[in-house]
Amino acid sequence: MMEQKKYLAPGSAALAPMAGVTDMPFRLLCFEQGCDWATTEMVSARGYLCGHKKSRAVRELLRRDPAEGQVALQIFGHEPDALYEAARMLSEQGFCGIDINMGCPAPKIVGNGDGSALLKDLTAARQAIAAVRRATELPLTVKMRLGWDEEHIVADELAHICQEEGVDAITVHGRTRVQFYSGRADWDAIARVKASVRIPVFGNGDLNTAEEALRRMRESGVDGVSIARGATGNPWIFSRFARLKQGLPAPEPDDEERIAAAMRHARMLAEWKGEAVAIREMRKHAAWYTRGMYGAAQMRPALYAAETLEGLQAAFNQVLERAHEQKNE
């Protein structure tokens, strides 16, 4: 069992929840690189109560490894009764905290009144928060965006609601729902939210390097950072963040280390979900692990065409060979 770090501790660098990405194997790789805490992919409160808790998909979302560190569970929904009952039941699953998703911009989620849709109805948001707070004694956090659009920025108001309803910390993504993931995250707005409340605030958005994460944390005054896309194919962002925070050298991993981690990731997925599923899921990860490597773009068709672990290793080896050839020229 790796060292357990304090959940929500000041100066934390956390792994943000990402659907289809932050499953147990990926979280484990990030924890090994010094991730302070992580949040699961989101689980539907209503779906969990309607019997889906027995489905393989939900079991996979809830699965953890004994070697992981602190893992919080994210739920989504807008119906107070469903949120209450799901949070009550899921609080017994051994997670370190419960997180409510009020930031997902996906049309399917928003269309049901969940995720970012709650930014348009702060009364419903308050009721949802209050229901989950009543249901659990675990630390409670809320993940939010700045607002629905530029004309309706509500993060300050929602942050105060969270504080009033007994939320332990919030994570603010510096975009509106209308932006999805376009443009730049507004870290000045995140800083204003931090300055307006007493509870801890974690910042999220465009933290693509350890250097940027540390700079954003220090400039905005947030209590910590929640890293999403910056960690894809790059679990080393957490170890580098920790070293930079201490003023220590923080070298980037070399190509061989990246490929070794990618194959270990693939093998863990295969052990968990079977080789065929693992290979399909590794296609996006393969692109992320090889991002910036010489010749990787030309080799991506071969990476995507791999159907076995052996084939994936062979494709990765070709990427390394091209990179070595370029260095020797």
Side-chain angles (χ1 to χ4, degrees):
M1 178 78 70
M2 65 178 59
E3 175 190 359
Q4 293 290 301
K5 300 180 181 180
K6 185 179 179 182
Y7 180 45
L8 303 177
S12 294
L15 175 63
M18 291 177 280
V21 177
T22 51
D23 55 18
M24 182 269 289
F26 182 65
R27 293 196 308 264
L28 185 56
L29 290 170
C30 291
F31 276 121
E32 290 177 351
Q33 291 296 328
C35 173
D36 291 302
W37 46 278
T39 306
T40 67
E41 301 170 72
M42 60 184 184
V43 175
S44 166
R46 171 59 62 187
Y48 183 78
L49 296 175
C50 289
H52 296 171
K53 58 180 173 288
K54 296 180 180 179
S55 72
R56 178 175 179 179
V58 171
R59 289 200 308 271
E60 289 177 352
L61 290 176
L62 299 179
R63 182 175 173 182
R64 282 155 298 142
D65 188 280
E68 289 189 81
Q70 301 277 5
V71 180
L73 173 72
Q74 186 177 79
I75 59 175
F76 73 94
H78 67 277
E79 302 164 296
D81 290 346
L83 285 164
Y84 173 89
E85 190 61 21
R88 184 188 67 80
M89 297 172 65
L90 289 165
S91 292
E92 301 173 357
Q93 297 288 326
F95 293 95
C96 70
I98 299 291
D99 183 70
I100 306 173
N101 183 305
M102 295 190 178
C104 180
K108 180 178 179 181
I109 301 298
V110 170
N112 289 327
D114 305 327
S116 290
L118 288 165
L119 300 172
K120 298 192 294 183
D121 187 347
L122 296 189
T123 297
R126 183 187 289 273
Q127 292 170 346
I129 294 165
V132 178
R133 180 70 288 174
R134 289 195 307 272
T136 183
E137 295 182 358
L138 292 175
L140 174 61
T141 60
V142 173
K143 172 78 180 291
M144 66 177 73
R145 285 182 172 237
L146 297 177
W148 182 259
D149 55 31
E150 289 293 331
E151 287 70 45
H152 301 89
I153 300 298
V154 299
D156 282 2
E157 187 176 355
L158 181 52
H160 278 276
I161 289 172
C162 290
Q163 183 170 271
E164 292 163 7
E165 295 297 336
V167 169
D168 294 281
I170 60 176
T171 299
V172 182
H173 179 86
R175 288 183 174 85
T176 65
R177 187 273 172 176
V178 168
Q179 284 181 280
F180 280 78
Y181 300 100
S182 66
R184 295 291 297 172
D186 187 345
W187 275 83
D188 289 337
I190 296 173
R192 289 193 293 272
V193 175
K194 166 58 187 172
S196 74
V197 291
R198 299 184 305 275
I199 59 176
V201 175
F202 291 82
N204 172 251
D206 295 339
L207 302 178
N208 297 312
T209 67
E211 289 84 356
E212 186 167 19
L214 184 60
R215 178 174 64 84
R216 290 296 193 184
M217 184 178 76
R218 289 175 171 170
E219 290 180 352
S220 66
V222 294
D223 296 273
V225 290
S226 180
I227 300 173
R229 288 178 291 175
T232 56
N234 184 27
W236 303 274
I237 195 170
F238 295 104
S239 56
R240 297 192 67 249
F241 176 88
R243 291 185 65 82
L244 290 171
K245 192 168 62 171
Q246 298 174 61
L248 299 173
E252 293 275 8
D254 60 25
D255 293 345
E256 287 77 8
E257 189 174 356
R258 289 185 178 277
I259 296 304
M263 280 306 304
R264 181 158 174 254
H265 192 165
R267 287 191 292 271
M268 285 195 293
L269 278 172
E271 183 177 348
W272 183 20
K273 299 181 179 181
E275 188 169 7
V277 173
I279 294 300
R280 287 198 301 272
E281 293 193 4
M282 275 303 298
R283 287 169 184 158
K284 58 180 179 287
H285 290 287
W288 293 329
Y289 278 110
T290 57
R291 190 165 42 202
M293 291 176 60
Y294 179 83
Q298 291 74 26
M299 287 305 304
R300 280 189 188 140
L303 289 169
Y304 296 158
E307 297 182 352
T308 63
L309 290 172
E310 184 178 359
L312 184 63
Q313 180 71 76
F316 276 135
N317 288 343
Q318 291 182 56
V319 173
L320 282 177
E321 288 173 9
R322 283 177 174 249
H324 290 160
E325 290 171 0
Q326 188 270 339
K327 289 177 183 179
N328 293 328
E329 287 179 358

